[in-house]
Amino acid sequence: MPTDASEIYRRYLSAVMLHGHAGARAVDLGATDLYALNILDLTGPLTPGELGARTGLTTGPTTRLVDRLEKAGYVRRAADPADRRKVIVEPVGRPGGLDRALDPARRRIAALLGGYTPEQLTVLFDYFTRAAEAYRESAEELQDGPGKSA
Amino acid sequence: MPTDASEIYRRYLSAVMLHGHAGARAVDLGATDLYALNILDLTGPLTPGELGARTGLTTGPTTRLVDRLEKAGYVRRAADPADRRKVIVEPVGRPGGLDRALDPARRRIAALLGGYTPEQLTVLFDYFTRAAEAYRESAEELQDGPGKSA
């Protein structure tokens, strides 16, 4: 590991976050909207109450958040298959604007990955898979922590 | 590359973003505050005007953002060494609360990285270094894009 490993890693994480925010901003998605989309991406459909608890919003702001995301085509409200009286919020994909905003980074990362050997790519994708799990678990602990549930 | 490579990668990025947001929220940092810290982390000191332009905030909200971050110990206002009449906003580190919030993920990632061979770590850190540059460049393009400068 390089001696400045933690500095390299910290700058890498900052760059990933910065790019995500800049992409969202370019298509007029607020930072909390982006947070909500990332939650739905990783956990799948949630009730509005669950989504509000995760994002830290009360009922009114959560309703407006879901309205905004639904209108822009990122989510839809549907009846919960397990209980038709309940509404769930489902992610439905990435409309063109956000895709276009994120495309230059995607092309750069694809070109970068294309320069590695198959063995090296196996290492990288092993890391992506395991790190995603580590971050997801850590995020859930933070979201469920004391005083943070709704 | 695995056949579901882009899906693995997308989930990985979502998990990184989700964790960053959950960590910020756990210490009552807003999503825009976190965005501003990531910008300062990567670009170094900026004038309040530059920071406002990057985050998309007007003068009043930018002043309040810098006040909030300064009070919480993340940044300080200083005289620009190049022009003492100008104020710049400098990042000054990570106060204890945010560090503690991010610590469980750091420990998980350190344990994960500890399981790779030196050769594999060289590949991973090569990727982190180059990907950081790719995301930073892409974010700058988005921030400087048409209609997005202040």
Side-chain angles (χ1 to χ4, degrees):
Chain A
M1 215 178 300
T3 48
D4 53 351
S6 75
E7 174 68 13
I8 290 174
Y9 194 76
R10 197 183 55 72
R11 287 179 63 86
Y12 165 64
L13 286 185
S14 284
V16 170
M17 295 286 299
L18 175 61
H19 177 259
H21 275 129
R25 206 193 133 216
V27 295
D28 290 318
L29 266 182
T32 305
D33 304 26
L34 178 64
Y35 183 28
L37 286 180
N38 285 322
I39 291 170
L40 290 168
D41 235 21
L42 286 167
T43 62
L46 294 174
T47 66
E50 289 164 341
L51 187 60
R54 296 294 183 94
T55 49
L57 298 176
T58 52
T59 308
T62 300
T63 301
R64 289 192 290 278
L65 168 82
V66 176
D67 286 347
R68 213 157 49 230
L69 294 177
E70 191 167 39
K71 192 166 166 221
Y74 295 99
V75 305
R76 73 171 154 239
R77 287 177 170 95
D80 184 346
D83 178 354
R84 308 287 305 173
R85 294 162 305 177
K86 269 180 25 190
V87 166
I88 51 169
V89 181
E90 290 182 334
V92 290
R94 297 284 151 126
L98 185 55
D99 253 4
R100 271 195 301 282
L102 303 180
D103 232 29
R106 259 188 220 132
R107 276 197 300 273
R108 284 186 171 107
I109 296 295
L112 170 54
L113 291 174
Y116 291 105
T117 65
E119 291 72 26
Q120 291 172 331
L121 285 174
T122 302
V123 174
L124 288 168
F125 276 84
D126 180 72
Y127 172 79
F128 298 146
T129 305
R130 292 166 189 261
E133 186 61 13
Y135 282 115
R136 203 190 49 71
E137 276 177 25
S138 304
E140 280 190 3
E141 283 173 13
L142 285 167
Q143 289 167 331
D144 299 339
K148 294 292 161 190
S149 55
Chain B
M1 216 177 303
T3 47
D4 52 353
S6 75
E7 173 70 11
I8 290 174
Y9 195 77
R10 198 182 55 72
R11 288 180 61 86
Y12 165 65
L13 285 187
S14 284
V16 170
M17 295 286 298
L18 175 61
H19 176 259
H21 275 129
R25 206 193 132 218
V27 296
D28 291 318
L29 266 182
T32 304
D33 304 28
L34 179 65
Y35 183 28
L37 286 180
N38 284 321
I39 291 170
L40 290 169
D41 237 21
L42 286 167
T43 61
L46 293 174
T47 66
E50 289 165 341
L51 187 60
R54 296 295 184 94
T55 49
L57 298 176
T58 52
T59 309
T62 301
T63 301
R64 288 192 289 279
L65 168 82
V66 176
D67 286 347
R68 215 158 48 228
L69 294 177
E70 191 167 40
K71 192 166 165 220
Y74 295 98
V75 306
R76 72 169 155 239
R77 287 177 170 97
D80 185 345
D83 177 353
R84 308 287 304 174
R85 294 161 304 178
K86 269 178 31 189
V87 166
I88 52 169
V89 181
E90 292 182 332
V92 292
R94 297 285 150 127
L98 185 55
D99 252 4
R100 270 194 300 282
L102 303 180
D103 231 29
R106 260 188 219 131
R107 276 198 299 273
R108 284 187 171 107
I109 296 295
L112 170 55
L113 291 174
Y116 292 106
T117 65
E119 290 73 27
Q120 291 172 331
L121 285 175
T122 302
V123 174
L124 288 168
F125 277 85
D126 180 73
Y127 172 80
F128 298 147
T129 305
R130 292 166 189 261
E133 186 62 13
Y135 282 115
R136 202 189 50 70
E137 277 176 25
S138 305
E140 279 188 5
E141 284 173 14
L142 285 167
Q143 289 168 331
D144 300 338
K148 293 293 160 188
S149 56

